[in-house]
């Protein structure tokens, strides 16, 4: 049993850090129940009309932003949306954050593909939180770059070793293709996740089935066996990261679900330890983990978000994954296997998660 005065992270920051649990490369698995004809006959996302439908509103004014000129876009390609806002949060409006996990080993540069992408949106008036995991292989329009996998947007924008520019392009890409306005971003790497979980003394997770992965990828690019029995398990930072990174027991969509399960377990642990005293430790703890975190949120903003998030009942948190209910398998002209969003199916979900009050 852990003492209540143990220093840990604020709720929202810990929530953000936990998204990196799916940091490993999300290779495309076999997408069952889908036929090749159905995928090939489906129009490529996004269409401007479909994007507006998903948003439930007209797209914001189009402006030129990002590292590449719009002239590089093929004729007929959409242009970027308005740059995501970074205005101070006043505590009454919905705020949406793009959490991105960086597949970064110790000693490697911070710039890497964002193999974890999740939208977390909080409505302080309705007292709700929505979470949506976006698959890395979603084939989208990247402003100024044309079509590619969504997880490459951060790398394209980070030219010149500029993570902030990369995050901006990633936000624009998600915002345009899913129709969800994004206010801020948080980038985290492996080590920050491990430290965050260990700082709170580990988490308790109900493992639905035994995890037996003989080919789990290690930090030194080797493999090892990962075995976690079914049932309620107490996981330290290293094991929690492995639990949500592994995909061999099922598929990428199962891994996304485990990632969200871990995030909710972190939130539950933080709240059980008491939020008030924990916020006092935030500045020192944030400084300790700063090497593995990049964000446009100020510490003051994170503290306000943490306090508000702590007041939202668990039953008002909805978490979803863009899985085979919303995407189809597709092969590009170059032979790459990617995913295409089924707009008419995804639009109602996006409306419910990010627009209903």
């Amino acid at each position: 049993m852990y003492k209540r005065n143990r220093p840990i992270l604020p709720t929202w920051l810990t929530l953000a850090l936990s998204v990196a649990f799916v940091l490993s490369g999300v290779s495309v698995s076999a997408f069952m129940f889908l036929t090749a004809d159905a995928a090939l006959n489906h129009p490529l996302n996004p269409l401007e009309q479909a994007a507006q439908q998903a948003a439930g509103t007209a797209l914001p004014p189009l402006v030129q932003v990002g590292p590449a000129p719009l002239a590089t876009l093929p004729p007929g390609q959409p242009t970027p949306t308005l740059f995501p806002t970074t205005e101070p949060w006043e505590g009454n409006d919905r705020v949406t954050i793009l959490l991105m996990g960086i597949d970064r080993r110790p000693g490697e540069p911070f710039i890497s593909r964002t193999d974890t992408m999740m939208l977390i949106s909080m409505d302080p008036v309705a007292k709700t939180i929505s979470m949506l995991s976006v698959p890395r292989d979603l084939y989208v329009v990247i402003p100024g770059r044309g079509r590619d996998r969504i997880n490459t947007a951060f790398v394209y924008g980070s030219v010149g070793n500029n993570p902030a520019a990369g995050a901006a392009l990633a936000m624009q890409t998600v915002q345009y293709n899913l129709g969800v306005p994004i206010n801020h971003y948080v980038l985290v790497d492996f080590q920050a996740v491990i430290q965050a979980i260990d700082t709170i003394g580990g988490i308790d997770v109900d493992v639905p089935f035994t995890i037996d992965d003989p080919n789990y990828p290690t930090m030194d690019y080797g493999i090892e066996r990962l075995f976690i029995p079914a049932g309620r398990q107490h996981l330290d930072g290293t094991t929690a990261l492995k639990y949500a990174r592994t995909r061999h027991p099922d598929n990428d969509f199962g891994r996304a679900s485990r990632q969200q399960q871990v995030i909710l377990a972190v939130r539950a642990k933080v709240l059980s330890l008491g939020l008030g005293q924990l916020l006092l430790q935030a500045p020192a703890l944030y400084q300790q983990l700063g090497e593995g975190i990049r964000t446009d949120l100020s510490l003051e903003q994170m503290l306000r978000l943490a306090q508000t998030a702590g007041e939202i009942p668990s039953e008002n948190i909805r978490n979803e994954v863009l899985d085979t209910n919303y995407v189809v398998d597709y092969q590009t002209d170059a032979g790459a296997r990617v995913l295409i969003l089924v707009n008419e199916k995804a639009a109602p979900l996006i409306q419910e998660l990010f627009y209903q009050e």
Side-chain angles (χ1 to χ4, degrees):
M1 185 145 186
Y2 300 98
K3 298 181 180 179
R4 297 178 64 88
N5 60 356
R6 184 168 183 165
I8 68 171
L9 293 173
T11 306
W12 187 261
L13 179 56
T14 305
L15 184 76
L17 292 176
S18 303
V19 78
F21 291 129
V22 266
L23 290 170
S24 175
V26 184
S27 302
V28 178
S29 301
F31 296 94
M32 293 180 285
F33 311 116
L34 301 174
T35 66
D37 287 341
L40 292 174
N41 290 332
H42 192 278
L44 290 178
N45 183 75
L47 304 175
E48 292 195 25
Q49 181 180 1
Q52 293 180 34
Q53 179 185 13
T57 184
L59 290 172
L62 302 180
V63 296
Q64 178 176 335
V65 290
L70 298 183
T72 61
L73 281 171
Q77 293 278 21
T79 48
T81 58
L82 189 64
F83 192 90
T85 179
T86 55
E87 295 179 359
W89 183 59
E90 299 298 332
N92 296 318
D93 299 326
R94 175 187 288 273
V95 59
T96 301
I97 295 176
L98 177 61
L99 303 180
M100 294 174 280
I102 302 299
D103 188 358
R104 178 199 187 199
R105 272 72 171 180
E108 294 182 342
F110 201 87
I111 307 302
S112 182
R113 294 190 177 189
T114 53
D115 287 335
T116 293
M117 302 185 80
M118 178 187 293
L119 290 166
I120 294 184
S121 185
M122 182 172 65
D123 186 334
V125 176
K127 292 192 178 300
T128 61
I129 292 177
S130 298
M131 302 164 58
L132 180 66
S133 291
V134 181
R136 76 161 192 170
D137 292 302
L138 198 64
Y139 197 49
V140 298
V141 166
I142 299 176
R145 296 289 180 173
R147 295 191 186 278
D148 206 335
R149 289 183 173 92
I150 199 167
N151 72 329
T152 63
F154 174 70
V155 176
Y156 282 137
S158 298
V159 175
N161 194 28
N162 189 344
L169 185 58
M171 285 193 290
Q172 293 172 42
T173 301
V174 175
Q175 178 170 306
Y176 184 83
N177 290 274
L178 297 185
V180 179
I182 302 173
N183 305 100
H184 299 284
Y185 71 88
V186 175
L187 290 152
V188 290
D189 67 5
F190 287 138
Q191 198 57 40
V193 174
I194 294 173
Q195 287 182 270
I197 294 294
D198 284 341
T199 301
I200 63 174
I203 57 174
D204 296 316
V205 174
D206 291 316
V207 181
F209 59 88
T210 297
I211 301 292
D212 191 357
D213 181 359
N215 297 305
Y216 178 82
T218 62
M219 291 289 190
D220 58 358
Y221 296 98
I223 61 172
E224 66 180 9
R225 184 188 182 195
L226 172 63
F227 183 84
I228 304 176
R232 191 164 185 79
Q233 304 295 335
H234 183 78
L235 308 179
D236 61 11
T238 299
T239 309
L241 177 64
K242 293 178 178 180
Y243 175 68
R245 281 187 66 201
T246 183
R247 65 181 178 85
H248 297 117
D250 41 29
N251 55 35
D252 300 314
F253 304 125
R255 176 163 65 177
S257 295
R258 283 189 291 277
Q259 163 212 345
Q260 294 182 351
Q261 183 186 14
V262 169
I263 289 176
L264 294 175
V266 169
R267 181 181 186 274
K269 179 62 176 292
V270 169
L271 292 179
S272 72
L273 295 172
L275 183 60
Q277 292 296 320
L278 306 179
L279 295 179
L280 299 177
Q281 306 295 329
L285 292 169
Y286 182 71
Q287 186 174 9
Q288 293 174 18
L289 297 173
E291 177 60 27
I293 305 170
R294 301 289 189 277
T295 181
D296 63 341
L297 285 163
S298 68
L299 182 58
E300 180 182 1
Q301 286 174 313
M302 286 188 285
L303 293 177
R304 295 186 65 188
L305 287 167
Q307 185 174 9
T308 303
E311 298 171 354
I312 295 177
S314 297
E315 58 269 23
N316 287 0
I317 300 176
R318 181 177 175 184
N319 53 300
E320 300 286 348
V321 177
L322 287 178
D323 56 17
T324 53
N325 292 313
Y326 307 101
V327 300
V328 293
D329 194 13
Y330 180 80
Q331 182 171 322
T332 68
D333 292 340
R337 307 298 298 186
V338 295
L339 299 175
I340 301 299
L341 190 69
V342 182
N343 293 296
E344 59 269 24
K345 293 183 178 179
L349 176 68
I350 291 173
Q351 179 75 25
E352 293 173 7
L353 292 176
F354 302 103
Y355 285 92
Q356 290 186 356
E357 297 181 358

